[in-house]
Amino acid sequence: MLALAGYRLGERFCFLDPAPDASAALVGRHIAAEYDDRSALDDMARSVNFATYEFENVPAESARYLSNFVPVRPTPDALEVAQNRLEEKRLFEKLSIPVARYEVASTDEELGAAIANIGGDAVVKTVTGGYDGKGQETHEVSGRGRPSLAALDADVVLVEKRVRFERELSMIAVRDQHGNLAFYPLVENRHQDGILRMSIAPAPGVPAALQELAQSYAAAILDSLAYIGVLTVELFETKDDLLANEIAPRVHNSGHSSIEGSDCSQFENHVRAITGVPLGSTAPKGSAVMFNFLSKLPNLAELLTIPGAHVHLYDKAPRPGRKLGHVTLVDVPPGVIEKVRELVT
Ligand code: AMP
């Protein structure tokens, strides 16, 4: 999606992706090698004027290595922070951005004590996810069957108070090399089994003060990292607070609807920022709803007959929990949204 947006601006793309059947190969040159393969990174450095990443498990070391030869935007520092939940929390705290109460545990005794201190209702998260593509894990705890560090395959974990949020929101923001900032309206996100199922953009019923508060969090993070590109802050809206959960140093699934729903999509704005051309307008064109195709594809023949249904397929083989594509609807009647919801679930 970055390449599709960038092509129109005259950019050409080269992708490093270990998957031999990477879908990005459809829209640019594909180097099929591990992310830490030095000769592949050298090849990439010779081929491009700028490098970026759109997956937070790319080793920060590889991004640093590339930055010896070409500008890597966003900075590899952002990748490093996003790969370590503790560093991420410390950044939020340094910037006075509120987070869920948490404790750090590096022994089973500390883990038990932390869960008790938090009040039993906790989410235990590994601090790092490693580079095996599994990502960071969330473990819910409800008094019984407490996890051990060995079971979590972790040396250190965060024990977070479970937030009774009203809803989950995301703030997608972009910063250029001169420090200019642009913000998309907050997006409302609904998850199923920890995976994004649908998004509504702009999130309905957001007072100006909430939008401004979310923007102030994003601005503080972007400026503190001297960030160039799109960054997403995942948020919990509670009755009387707006807590930061985590950052994604990249374009975000909750921003996919910006392709049809915004003047300039998150993808185009990321390309604009990293290549050093002026940012585009983040104004919404209407109310956008996006549904992910998870695990299996919907009946496309039927979906494609629906006026206003913008279908995107990623050319990925079906697998449980895998995101295979999405559909976006902008300013369509509620009945059409319901019909699409039925088709995609
Ligand atoms: P994360 O891996 O931090 O992105 O968490 C994935 C999902 O788990 C979030 O989108 C939330 O739905 C849920 N979650 C994570 N942390 C908490 C928390 N402290 N309280 C309640 N839900 C959480």
Side-chain angles (χ1 to χ4, degrees), residues 24-43:
L26 294 171
V27 287
R29 182 178 158 225
H30 175 211
I31 302 172
E34 293 304 321
Y35 293 122
D36 58 359
D37 182 322
R38 281 287 161 100
S39 66
L41 291 168
D42 288 337
D43 183 2

mmCIF file with all atom_site columns, all heavy atoms in Angstrom, residues 24-43:
data_model
loop_
_atom_site.group_PDB
_atom_site.id
_atom_site.type_symbol
_atom_site.label_atom_id
_atom_site.label_alt_id
_atom_site.label_comp_id
_atom_site.label_asym_id
_atom_site.label_entity_id
_atom_site.label_seq_id
_atom_site.pdbx_PDB_ins_code
_atom_site.Cartn_x
_atom_site.Cartn_y
_atom_site.Cartn_z
_atom_site.occupancy
_atom_site.B_iso_or_equiv
_atom_site.pdbx_formal_charge
_atom_site.auth_seq_id
_atom_site.auth_comp_id
_atom_site.auth_asym_id
_atom_site.auth_atom_id
_atom_site.pdbx_PDB_model_num
ATOM 1   N N   . ALA A 1 24 ? 4.415  -7.804  -1.514 1.00 0.00 ? 24 ALA A N   1
ATOM 2   C CA  . ALA A 1 24 ? 5.013  -6.561  -2.000 1.00 0.00 ? 24 ALA A CA  1
ATOM 3   C C   . ALA A 1 24 ? 5.740  -6.773  -3.330 1.00 0.00 ? 24 ALA A C   1
ATOM 4   O O   . ALA A 1 24 ? 5.934  -5.832  -4.096 1.00 0.00 ? 24 ALA A O   1
ATOM 5   C CB  . ALA A 1 24 ? 5.974  -5.998  -0.960 1.00 0.00 ? 24 ALA A CB  1
ATOM 6   N N   . ALA A 1 25 ? 6.116  -8.037  -3.618 1.00 0.00 ? 25 ALA A N   1
ATOM 7   C CA  . ALA A 1 25 ? 6.836  -8.328  -4.865 1.00 0.00 ? 25 ALA A CA  1
ATOM 8   C C   . ALA A 1 25 ? 5.994  -7.974  -6.093 1.00 0.00 ? 25 ALA A C   1
ATOM 9   O O   . ALA A 1 25 ? 6.531  -7.786  -7.184 1.00 0.00 ? 25 ALA A O   1
ATOM 10  C CB  . ALA A 1 25 ? 7.229  -9.804  -4.919 1.00 0.00 ? 25 ALA A CB  1
ATOM 11  N N   . LEU A 1 26 ? 4.685  -7.853  -5.907 1.00 0.00 ? 26 LEU A N   1
ATOM 12  C CA  . LEU A 1 26 ? 3.807  -7.481  -7.020 1.00 0.00 ? 26 LEU A CA  1
ATOM 13  C C   . LEU A 1 26 ? 4.037  -6.042  -7.464 1.00 0.00 ? 26 LEU A C   1
ATOM 14  O O   . LEU A 1 26 ? 3.712  -5.685  -8.588 1.00 0.00 ? 26 LEU A O   1
ATOM 15  C CB  . LEU A 1 26 ? 2.335  -7.627  -6.599 1.00 0.00 ? 26 LEU A CB  1
ATOM 16  C CG  . LEU A 1 26 ? 1.809  -9.022  -6.303 1.00 0.00 ? 26 LEU A CG  1
ATOM 17  C CD1 . LEU A 1 26 ? 0.420  -8.941  -5.695 1.00 0.00 ? 26 LEU A CD1 1
ATOM 18  C CD2 . LEU A 1 26 ? 1.781  -9.842  -7.584 1.00 0.00 ? 26 LEU A CD2 1
ATOM 19  N N   . VAL A 1 27 ? 4.553  -5.210  -6.568 1.00 0.00 ? 27 VAL A N   1
ATOM 20  C CA  . VAL A 1 27 ? 4.606  -3.767  -6.863 1.00 0.00 ? 27 VAL A CA  1
ATOM 21  C C   . VAL A 1 27 ? 6.004  -3.171  -6.728 1.00 0.00 ? 27 VAL A C   1
ATOM 22  O O   . VAL A 1 27 ? 6.151  -1.959  -6.629 1.00 0.00 ? 27 VAL A O   1
ATOM 23  C CB  . VAL A 1 27 ? 3.616  -2.992  -5.955 1.00 0.00 ? 27 VAL A CB  1
ATOM 24  C CG1 . VAL A 1 27 ? 2.176  -3.247  -6.392 1.00 0.00 ? 27 VAL A CG1 1
ATOM 25  C CG2 . VAL A 1 27 ? 3.792  -3.341  -4.487 1.00 0.00 ? 27 VAL A CG2 1
ATOM 26  N N   . GLY A 1 28 ? 7.020  -4.032  -6.733 1.00 0.00 ? 28 GLY A N   1
ATOM 27  C CA  . GLY A 1 28 ? 8.374  -3.495  -6.650 1.00 0.00 ? 28 GLY A CA  1
ATOM 28  C C   . GLY A 1 28 ? 9.364  -4.639  -6.673 1.00 0.00 ? 28 GLY A C   1
ATOM 29  O O   . GLY A 1 28 ? 8.979  -5.812  -6.722 1.00 0.00 ? 28 GLY A O   1
ATOM 30  N N   . ARG A 1 29 ? 10.650 -4.284  -6.628 1.00 0.00 ? 29 ARG A N   1
ATOM 31  C CA  . ARG A 1 29 ? 11.671 -5.331  -6.594 1.00 0.00 ? 29 ARG A CA  1
ATOM 32  C C   . ARG A 1 29 ? 11.689 -5.982  -5.210 1.00 0.00 ? 29 ARG A C   1
ATOM 33  O O   . ARG A 1 29 ? 11.609 -5.273  -4.197 1.00 0.00 ? 29 ARG A O   1
ATOM 34  C CB  . ARG A 1 29 ? 13.034 -4.698  -6.893 1.00 0.00 ? 29 ARG A CB  1
ATOM 35  C CG  . ARG A 1 29 ? 14.126 -5.705  -6.936 1.00 0.00 ? 29 ARG A CG  1
ATOM 36  C CD  . ARG A 1 29 ? 15.475 -5.078  -7.283 1.00 0.00 ? 29 ARG A CD  1
ATOM 37  N NE  . ARG A 1 29 ? 16.502 -5.977  -6.805 1.00 0.00 ? 29 ARG A NE  1
ATOM 38  C CZ  . ARG A 1 29 ? 17.589 -5.617  -6.151 1.00 0.00 ? 29 ARG A CZ  1
ATOM 39  N NH1 . ARG A 1 29 ? 17.841 -4.337  -5.921 1.00 0.00 ? 29 ARG A NH1 1
ATOM 40  N NH2 . ARG A 1 29 ? 18.440 -6.524  -5.729 1.00 0.00 ? 29 ARG A NH2 1
ATOM 41  N N   . HIS A 1 30 ? 11.788 -7.292  -5.178 1.00 0.00 ? 30 HIS A N   1
ATOM 42  C CA  . HIS A 1 30 ? 11.761 -8.004  -3.902 1.00 0.00 ? 30 HIS A CA  1
ATOM 43  C C   . HIS A 1 30 ? 13.092 -8.694  -3.647 1.00 0.00 ? 30 HIS A C   1
ATOM 44  O O   . HIS A 1 30 ? 13.526 -9.511  -4.459 1.00 0.00 ? 30 HIS A O   1
ATOM 45  C CB  . HIS A 1 30 ? 10.610 -9.038  -3.929 1.00 0.00 ? 30 HIS A CB  1
ATOM 46  C CG  . HIS A 1 30 ? 10.571 -9.912  -2.704 1.00 0.00 ? 30 HIS A CG  1
ATOM 47  N ND1 . HIS A 1 30 ? 10.124 -11.214 -2.733 1.00 0.00 ? 30 HIS A ND1 1
ATOM 48  C CD2 . HIS A 1 30 ? 10.919 -9.668  -1.422 1.00 0.00 ? 30 HIS A CD2 1
ATOM 49  C CE1 . HIS A 1 30 ? 10.196 -11.730 -1.514 1.00 0.00 ? 30 HIS A CE1 1
ATOM 50  N NE2 . HIS A 1 30 ? 10.676 -10.814 -0.705 1.00 0.00 ? 30 HIS A NE2 1
ATOM 51  N N   . ILE A 1 31 ? 13.736 -8.354  -2.538 1.00 0.00 ? 31 ILE A N   1
ATOM 52  C CA  . ILE A 1 31 ? 14.922 -9.089  -2.112 1.00 0.00 ? 31 ILE A CA  1
ATOM 53  C C   . ILE A 1 31 ? 14.448 -10.072 -1.046 1.00 0.00 ? 31 ILE A C   1
ATOM 54  O O   . ILE A 1 31 ? 14.024 -9.658  0.039  1.00 0.00 ? 31 ILE A O   1
ATOM 55  C CB  . ILE A 1 31 ? 15.989 -8.134  -1.526 1.00 0.00 ? 31 ILE A CB  1
ATOM 56  C CG1 . ILE A 1 31 ? 16.376 -7.065  -2.565 1.00 0.00 ? 31 ILE A CG1 1
ATOM 57  C CG2 . ILE A 1 31 ? 17.203 -8.917  -1.054 1.00 0.00 ? 31 ILE A CG2 1
ATOM 58  C CD1 . ILE A 1 31 ? 17.286 -5.976  -2.010 1.00 0.00 ? 31 ILE A CD1 1
ATOM 59  N N   . ALA A 1 32 ? 14.474 -11.350 -1.374 1.00 0.00 ? 32 ALA A N   1
ATOM 60  C CA  . ALA A 1 32 ? 13.991 -12.368 -0.425 1.00 0.00 ? 32 ALA A CA  1
ATOM 61  C C   . ALA A 1 32 ? 15.170 -12.843 0.419  1.00 0.00 ? 32 ALA A C   1
ATOM 62  O O   . ALA A 1 32 ? 15.954 -13.698 -0.005 1.00 0.00 ? 32 ALA A O   1
ATOM 63  C CB  . ALA A 1 32 ? 13.360 -13.533 -1.183 1.00 0.00 ? 32 ALA A CB  1
ATOM 64  N N   . ALA A 1 33 ? 15.325 -12.244 1.584  1.00 0.00 ? 33 ALA A N   1
ATOM 65  C CA  . ALA A 1 33 ? 16.426 -12.611 2.483  1.00 0.00 ? 33 ALA A CA  1
ATOM 66  C C   . ALA A 1 33 ? 16.021 -12.238 3.891  1.00 0.00 ? 33 ALA A C   1
ATOM 67  O O   . ALA A 1 33 ? 15.100 -11.441 4.092  1.00 0.00 ? 33 ALA A O   1
ATOM 68  C CB  . ALA A 1 33 ? 17.694 -11.866 2.078  1.00 0.00 ? 33 ALA A CB  1
ATOM 69  N N   . GLU A 1 34 ? 16.744 -12.812 4.864  1.00 0.00 ? 34 GLU A N   1
ATOM 70  C CA  . GLU A 1 34 ? 16.456 -12.476 6.263  1.00 0.00 ? 34 GLU A CA  1
ATOM 71  C C   . GLU A 1 34 ? 16.760 -10.991 6.495  1.00 0.00 ? 34 GLU A C   1
ATOM 72  O O   . GLU A 1 34 ? 17.611 -10.401 5.819  1.00 0.00 ? 34 GLU A O   1
ATOM 73  C CB  . GLU A 1 34 ? 17.307 -13.332 7.207  1.00 0.00 ? 34 GLU A CB  1
ATOM 74  C CG  . GLU A 1 34 ? 16.949 -14.818 7.172  1.00 0.00 ? 34 GLU A CG  1
ATOM 75  C CD  . GLU A 1 34 ? 15.482 -15.099 7.481  1.00 0.00 ? 34 GLU A CD  1
ATOM 76  O OE1 . GLU A 1 34 ? 14.915 -14.427 8.369  1.00 0.00 ? 34 GLU A OE1 1
ATOM 77  O OE2 . GLU A 1 34 ? 14.902 -15.985 6.811  1.00 0.00 ? 34 GLU A OE2 1
ATOM 78  N N   . TYR A 1 35 ? 16.076 -10.416 7.506  1.00 0.00 ? 35 TYR A N   1
ATOM 79  C CA  . TYR A 1 35 ? 16.249 -8.988  7.775  1.00 0.00 ? 35 TYR A CA  1
ATOM 80  C C   . TYR A 1 35 ? 17.673 -8.636  8.219  1.00 0.00 ? 35 TYR A C   1
ATOM 81  O O   . TYR A 1 35 ? 18.079 -7.487  8.141  1.00 0.00 ? 35 TYR A O   1
ATOM 82  C CB  . TYR A 1 35 ? 15.269 -8.530  8.864  1.00 0.00 ? 35 TYR A CB  1
ATOM 83  C CG  . TYR A 1 35 ? 13.824 -8.584  8.434  1.00 0.00 ? 35 TYR A CG  1
ATOM 84  C CD1 . TYR A 1 35 ? 12.903 -9.339  9.143  1.00 0.00 ? 35 TYR A CD1 1
ATOM 85  C CD2 . TYR A 1 35 ? 13.385 -7.861  7.330  1.00 0.00 ? 35 TYR A CD2 1
ATOM 86  C CE1 . TYR A 1 35 ? 11.571 -9.380  8.758  1.00 0.00 ? 35 TYR A CE1 1
ATOM 87  C CE2 . TYR A 1 35 ? 12.067 -7.904  6.934  1.00 0.00 ? 35 TYR A CE2 1
ATOM 88  C CZ  . TYR A 1 35 ? 11.158 -8.674  7.651  1.00 0.00 ? 35 TYR A CZ  1
ATOM 89  O OH  . TYR A 1 35 ? 9.849  -8.710  7.275  1.00 0.00 ? 35 TYR A OH  1
ATOM 90  N N   . ASP A 1 36 ? 18.405 -9.646  8.712  1.00 0.00 ? 36 ASP A N   1
ATOM 91  C CA  . ASP A 1 36 ? 19.764 -9.324  9.174  1.00 0.00 ? 36 ASP A CA  1
ATOM 92  C C   . ASP A 1 36 ? 20.825 -9.810  8.187  1.00 0.00 ? 36 ASP A C   1
ATOM 93  O O   . ASP A 1 36 ? 22.004 -9.861  8.533  1.00 0.00 ? 36 ASP A O   1
ATOM 94  C CB  . ASP A 1 36 ? 20.000 -9.908  10.572 1.00 0.00 ? 36 ASP A CB  1
ATOM 95  C CG  . ASP A 1 36 ? 19.796 -11.418 10.606 1.00 0.00 ? 36 ASP A CG  1
ATOM 96  O OD1 . ASP A 1 36 ? 19.453 -11.998 9.545  1.00 0.00 ? 36 ASP A OD1 1
ATOM 97  O OD2 . ASP A 1 36 ? 19.974 -12.011 11.687 1.00 0.00 ? 36 ASP A OD2 1
ATOM 98  N N   . ASP A 1 37 ? 20.417 -10.125 6.984  1.00 0.00 ? 37 ASP A N   1
ATOM 99  C CA  . ASP A 1 37 ? 21.361 -10.593 5.960  1.00 0.00 ? 37 ASP A CA  1
ATOM 100 C C   . ASP A 1 37 ? 22.149 -9.384  5.420  1.00 0.00 ? 37 ASP A C   1
ATOM 101 O O   . ASP A 1 37 ? 21.596 -8.529  4.726  1.00 0.00 ? 37 ASP A O   1
ATOM 102 C CB  . ASP A 1 37 ? 20.558 -11.279 4.841  1.00 0.00 ? 37 ASP A CB  1
ATOM 103 C CG  . ASP A 1 37 ? 21.444 -11.847 3.734  1.00 0.00 ? 37 ASP A CG  1
ATOM 104 O OD1 . ASP A 1 37 ? 22.453 -11.196 3.383  1.00 0.00 ? 37 ASP A OD1 1
ATOM 105 O OD2 . ASP A 1 37 ? 21.096 -12.923 3.219  1.00 0.00 ? 37 ASP A OD2 1
ATOM 106 N N   . ARG A 1 38 ? 23.445 -9.334  5.792  1.00 0.00 ? 38 ARG A N   1
ATOM 107 C CA  . ARG A 1 38 ? 24.248 -8.157  5.448  1.00 0.00 ? 38 ARG A CA  1
ATOM 108 C C   . ARG A 1 38 ? 24.351 -7.918  3.938  1.00 0.00 ? 38 ARG A C   1
ATOM 109 O O   . ARG A 1 38 ? 24.298 -6.784  3.482  1.00 0.00 ? 38 ARG A O   1
ATOM 110 C CB  . ARG A 1 38 ? 25.657 -8.272  6.051  1.00 0.00 ? 38 ARG A CB  1
ATOM 111 C CG  . ARG A 1 38 ? 25.720 -7.936  7.527  1.00 0.00 ? 38 ARG A CG  1
ATOM 112 C CD  . ARG A 1 38 ? 25.572 -6.430  7.732  1.00 0.00 ? 38 ARG A CD  1
ATOM 113 N NE  . ARG A 1 38 ? 25.185 -6.115  9.104  1.00 0.00 ? 38 ARG A NE  1
ATOM 114 C CZ  . ARG A 1 38 ? 26.032 -5.696  10.042 1.00 0.00 ? 38 ARG A CZ  1
ATOM 115 N NH1 . ARG A 1 38 ? 27.295 -5.544  9.775  1.00 0.00 ? 38 ARG A NH1 1
ATOM 116 N NH2 . ARG A 1 38 ? 25.601 -5.411  11.246 1.00 0.00 ? 38 ARG A NH2 1
ATOM 117 N N   . SER A 1 39 ? 24.492 -8.997  3.164  1.00 0.00 ? 39 SER A N   1
ATOM 118 C CA  . SER A 1 39 ? 24.646 -8.757  1.718  1.00 0.00 ? 39 SER A CA  1
ATOM 119 C C   . SER A 1 39 ? 23.325 -8.255  1.135  1.00 0.00 ? 39 SER A C   1
ATOM 120 O O   . SER A 1 39 ? 23.321 -7.415  0.222  1.00 0.00 ? 39 SER A O   1
ATOM 121 C CB  . SER A 1 39 ? 25.162 -10.004 0.996  1.00 0.00 ? 39 SER A CB  1
ATOM 122 O OG  . SER A 1 39 ? 24.206 -11.019 1.060  1.00 0.00 ? 39 SER A OG  1
ATOM 123 N N   . ALA A 1 40 ? 22.205 -8.720  1.688  1.00 0.00 ? 40 ALA A N   1
ATOM 124 C CA  . ALA A 1 40 ? 20.905 -8.207  1.227  1.00 0.00 ? 40 ALA A CA  1
ATOM 125 C C   . ALA A 1 40 ? 20.756 -6.736  1.614  1.00 0.00 ? 40 ALA A C   1
ATOM 126 O O   . ALA A 1 40 ? 20.265 -5.915  0.835  1.00 0.00 ? 40 ALA A O   1
ATOM 127 C CB  . ALA A 1 40 ? 19.776 -9.032  1.825  1.00 0.00 ? 40 ALA A CB  1
ATOM 128 N N   . LEU A 1 41 ? 21.204 -6.388  2.825  1.00 0.00 ? 41 LEU A N   1
ATOM 129 C CA  . LEU A 1 41 ? 21.120 -4.991  3.267  1.00 0.00 ? 41 LEU A CA  1
ATOM 130 C C   . LEU A 1 41 ? 22.032 -4.112  2.410  1.00 0.00 ? 41 LEU A C   1
ATOM 131 O O   . LEU A 1 41 ? 21.679 -2.988  2.048  1.00 0.00 ? 41 LEU A O   1
ATOM 132 C CB  . LEU A 1 41 ? 21.489 -4.874  4.752  1.00 0.00 ? 41 LEU A CB  1
ATOM 133 C CG  . LEU A 1 41 ? 20.470 -5.494  5.725  1.00 0.00 ? 41 LEU A CG  1
ATOM 134 C CD1 . LEU A 1 41 ? 21.052 -5.607  7.136  1.00 0.00 ? 41 LEU A CD1 1
ATOM 135 C CD2 . LEU A 1 41 ? 19.173 -4.673  5.767  1.00 0.00 ? 41 LEU A CD2 1
ATOM 136 N N   . ASP A 1 42 ? 23.220 -4.643  2.049  1.00 0.00 ? 42 ASP A N   1
ATOM 137 C CA  . ASP A 1 42 ? 24.125 -3.893  1.164  1.00 0.00 ? 42 ASP A CA  1
ATOM 138 C C   . ASP A 1 42 ? 23.473 -3.658  -0.193 1.00 0.00 ? 42 ASP A C   1
ATOM 139 O O   . ASP A 1 42 ? 23.547 -2.560  -0.754 1.00 0.00 ? 42 ASP A O   1
ATOM 140 C CB  . ASP A 1 42 ? 25.443 -4.665  0.978  1.00 0.00 ? 42 ASP A CB  1
ATOM 141 C CG  . ASP A 1 42 ? 26.302 -4.632  2.237  1.00 0.00 ? 42 ASP A CG  1
ATOM 142 O OD1 . ASP A 1 42 ? 26.125 -3.706  3.052  1.00 0.00 ? 42 ASP A OD1 1
ATOM 143 O OD2 . ASP A 1 42 ? 27.146 -5.537  2.399  1.00 0.00 ? 42 ASP A OD2 1
ATOM 144 N N   . ASP A 1 43 ? 22.845 -4.715  -0.704 1.00 0.00 ? 43 ASP A N   1
ATOM 145 C CA  . ASP A 1 43 ? 22.150 -4.623  -1.993 1.00 0.00 ? 43 ASP A CA  1
ATOM 146 C C   . ASP A 1 43 ? 21.074 -3.538  -1.910 1.00 0.00 ? 43 ASP A C   1
ATOM 147 O O   . ASP A 1 43 ? 20.957 -2.660  -2.785 1.00 0.00 ? 43 ASP A O   1
ATOM 148 C CB  . ASP A 1 43 ? 21.532 -6.008  -2.297 1.00 0.00 ? 43 ASP A CB  1
ATOM 149 C CG  . ASP A 1 43 ? 20.841 -6.060  -3.640 1.00 0.00 ? 43 ASP A CG  1
ATOM 150 O OD1 . ASP A 1 43 ? 20.872 -5.050  -4.366 1.00 0.00 ? 43 ASP A OD1 1
ATOM 151 O OD2 . ASP A 1 43 ? 20.257 -7.117  -3.963 1.00 0.00 ? 43 ASP A OD2 1
#
